[in-house]
Amino acid sequence: MPPPPLHFNAFIWPNGYHESGWRVVPDEARGVLGLPYYAGIARTAERGLLDSVFLADNIAIPEYRVEHLPQTQFDPILVLSALAGLTERIGLIGTGSTTYSAPWDLARRFATLDHLSAGRAGWNIVTTGSPLTAANFGLTEHPSHADRYARAHEFVDVVQRVWDGWEDDAVVGDKAGAWADRSKIHAPRFHGEHYDVEGILPFPRSPQGHPVLVQAGQSPAGIALAARYAELVFSGPPSLEAAVEFRRKLHAQAIAGGRSADQLKVLPALTFTLASTEAEAKDKSQRLEDLASPEFRWQNLLYVTGHDPDDFDPDVPFPQELLDGPAPTSGGERLYAAARERRIPLRELAQDLIGGASQIPFAGTPEQLADYILAWHDAGAIDGFTLMGTTLPYELETFVDHVVPILQARGRFRTGYEGATLRDHLGLNRPAGHQTGVASRA
Ligand SMILES: Cc1cc2nc3c(=O)[nH]c(=O)nc-3n(C[C@H](O)[C@H](O)[C@H](O)COP(=O)(O)O)c2cc1C
């Protein structure tokens, strides 16, 4: 049997996914604030027949970041809606927080994107790790990890019910009669532990029925949420072995919950630097590292693992009293384990730890990257990768022009889009939705 097809998701980040990316690219520093930057990357991804582009969401930023990184955290759904009009086929995945959104509102926004893009929307479900977020939303406290995930389950459940409020064939458009058939409308009327959502969306069901559900939590609670709902999972494994184990565990939990493993694709985050020789790629990668600031590293490690960096002194070891309690995120668990082992100043500890989404930096030639991808695929570690070029759009262009053709020549990647929707690209079923004659789930 031929191996299943690979899938690729391009992570859009200002000037690339290395903190020094913006310092080395030849582009004007403010270019990342304009639509042409996003459109260029999305069109390149589409030229390479990739499955999707992806935008993260960070809804609170500590101020140290403005010195070290371009700050471009627009509302992802607004950017993706603009890209919908500038592209034809590429999937458009955006992040939305279950902790800091209202489910009916978020359901409406992603369903709007699905309509505007003719079925190319995906929602990366996050619970939001940064405690700084609470104060931006008028709250005095950031909910605990367990609370955030408990709410997330109910949140996703409600969102799906809202998306199913209209039957697929509810619109009749009978100019002499009704625009839509009222008997095919099913208000969610949901009353749960955390959310109360009464009414239908003010427009019909979207082309994919449900935008594709994506999840990126790595903790046991994150994996449980993904196993229940996610159709696409972004992970950040430290090794091939860990990736095999993560995917195996996720599939086992999904199957135990009555789902089919082939309806759940795993695309770990991969940071990569490409050049025509391995030595040149390693030099490029080293240059980025040489430009990196230790001040950024320790603060960023704290931020991305769910802490407020302003609460810490980098010249002493990580506070013991925190190590005695639970870590706020799975990245925090890794930090706590390292800090327990090495009681050295935080600034030093942070130099050796990777806090971001990807823990597997690759530097080499396109041929080597193609081999690397196929080795992970053959080992059952992945269904593809979330591509995080260290400089953008440059690494992505090289990937599309030089890695994709190798994978195609080896019969492992599509040579044309077969369908029109993100579900088509990923081989995911379209959810049936509310069926006439079936009692409402509410
Ligand atoms: C590829 C990737 C992308 C992510 N994007 C976001 C994001 O946009 N916003 C966010 O708050 N967290 C993001 N995360 C973090 C996770 O969704 C999750 O919040 C974090 O890992 C903490 O949850 P956990 O303890 O369950 O792992 C991302 C993680 C990965 C691997």
Side-chain angles (χ1 to χ4, degrees):
M1 214 170 69
L6 281 160
H7 300 283
F8 293 110
N9 169 50
F11 196 145
I12 305 181
W13 194 251
N15 297 132
Y17 213 94
H18 189 287
E19 70 241 48
S20 313
W22 70 279
R23 298 184 193 275
V24 303
V25 297
D27 311 296
E28 206 277 309
R30 287 171 197 78
V32 290
L33 291 164
L35 186 55
Y37 176 73
Y38 295 90
I41 291 175
R43 287 183 175 130
T44 299
E46 190 164 78
R47 180 162 61 78
L49 307 172
L50 309 192
D51 295 72
S52 53
V53 290
F54 165 64
L55 284 174
D57 201 15
N58 293 285
I59 42 182
I61 57 155
E63 291 183 10
Y64 78 88
R65 279 172 88 83
V66 309
E67 292 184 358
H68 300 279
L69 286 178
Q71 293 305 313
T72 61
Q73 187 59 76
F74 298 138
D75 178 329
I77 301 176
L78 294 182
V79 178
L80 295 171
S81 298
L83 294 181
L86 300 172
T87 53
E88 303 277 325
R89 295 294 188 93
I90 192 80
L92 303 166
I93 302 176
T95 299
S97 173
T98 50
T99 306
Y100 293 100
S101 313
W104 189 93
D105 183 52
L106 199 87
R108 179 192 191 201
R109 295 170 67 223
F110 276 102
T112 301
L113 178 63
D114 205 41
H115 273 292
L116 295 183
S117 64
R120 294 186 281 141
W123 168 31
N124 178 36
I125 305 160
V126 299
T127 56
T128 301
S130 175
L132 299 168
T133 317
N136 288 355
F137 287 80
L139 302 182
T140 49
E141 220 177 302
H142 182 56
S144 72
H145 191 268
D147 255 18
R148 298 200 305 273
Y149 273 105
R151 293 172 74 93
H153 278 262
E154 193 176 303
F155 191 110
V156 181
D157 181 14
V158 185
V159 165
Q160 290 185 313
R161 291 169 192 249
V162 174
W163 283 337
D164 289 343
W166 294 59
E167 287 181 39
D168 282 320
D169 60 353
V171 177
V172 283
D174 173 5
K175 294 198 177 185
W179 189 77
D181 178 349
R182 194 170 166 185
S183 72
K184 294 187 174 181
I185 300 294
H186 309 278
R189 304 200 198 296
F190 180 92
H191 301 286
E193 200 178 321
H194 305 285
Y195 301 106
D196 293 286
V197 175
E198 187 65 20
I200 55 167
L201 284 181
F203 52 79
R205 199 160 188 253
S206 74
Q208 295 187 103
H210 297 177
V212 172
L213 294 179
V214 185
Q215 221 278 320
Q218 316 292 300
S219 60
I223 294 173
L225 183 69
R228 181 155 168 208
Y229 293 111
E231 300 170 288
L232 191 58
V233 168
F234 299 158
S235 61
S239 65
L240 187 151
E241 294 70 30
V244 171
E245 180 54 18
F246 177 86
R247 186 163 172 270
R248 192 197 58 71
K249 223 172 17 182
L250 187 62
H251 280 170
Q253 279 193 41
I255 290 165
R259 299 185 59 203
S260 160
D262 76 343
Q263 292 296 298
L264 208 172
K265 314 287 178 188
V266 184
L267 307 188
L270 171 69
T271 311
F272 65 99
T273 306
L274 292 169
S276 48
T277 66
E278 184 179 342
E280 210 186 309
K282 295 235 148 71
D283 280 355
K284 257 173 89 176
S285 172
Q286 190 55 49
R287 176 151 182 253
L288 290 168
E289 281 296 294
D290 292 345
L291 290 169
S293 148
E295 280 311 289
F296 172 78
R297 285 274 159 101
W298 72 263
Q299 294 178 91
N300 203 51
L301 179 65
L302 291 170
Y303 170 59
V304 300
T305 55
H307 303 87
D308 180 353
D310 288 348
D311 293 344
F312 291 79
D313 176 354
D315 296 317
V316 298
F318 193 85
Q320 182 62 47
E321 63 273 21
L322 286 181
L323 296 181
D324 294 337
T329 60
S330 58
E333 295 277 1
R334 291 199 300 275
L335 165 61
Y336 285 22
R340 279 190 199 103
E341 213 165 279
R342 299 173 72 200
R343 303 300 293 149
I344 56 175
L346 178 56
R347 187 186 272 109
E348 251 174 83
L349 186 72
Q351 294 316 304
D352 304 329
L353 291 177
I354 298 176
S358 165
Q359 296 188 70
I360 41 172
F362 173 93
T365 65
E367 187 83 27
Q368 287 172 321
L369 182 52
D371 288 341
Y372 181 96
I373 291 167
L374 294 180
W376 281 56
H377 197 214
D378 290 339
I382 60 164
D383 295 286
F385 277 113
T386 288
L387 301 173
M388 297 166 54
T390 49
T391 70
L392 282 174
Y394 304 98
E395 308 305 325
L396 187 66
E397 284 171 355
T398 310
F399 185 90
V400 162
D401 292 333
H402 299 282
V403 182
V404 166
I406 299 171
L407 297 172
Q408 287 171 327
R410 296 190 197 172
R412 301 289 287 270
F413 192 57
R414 63 172 73 88
T415 52
Y417 285 114
E418 278 146 29
T421 69
L422 178 55
R423 287 185 177 278
D424 292 337
H425 304 339
L426 292 166
L428 296 172
N429 298 334
R430 186 179 185 281
H434 194 101
Q435 305 296 301
T436 301
V438 175
S440 164
R441 283 184 296 170

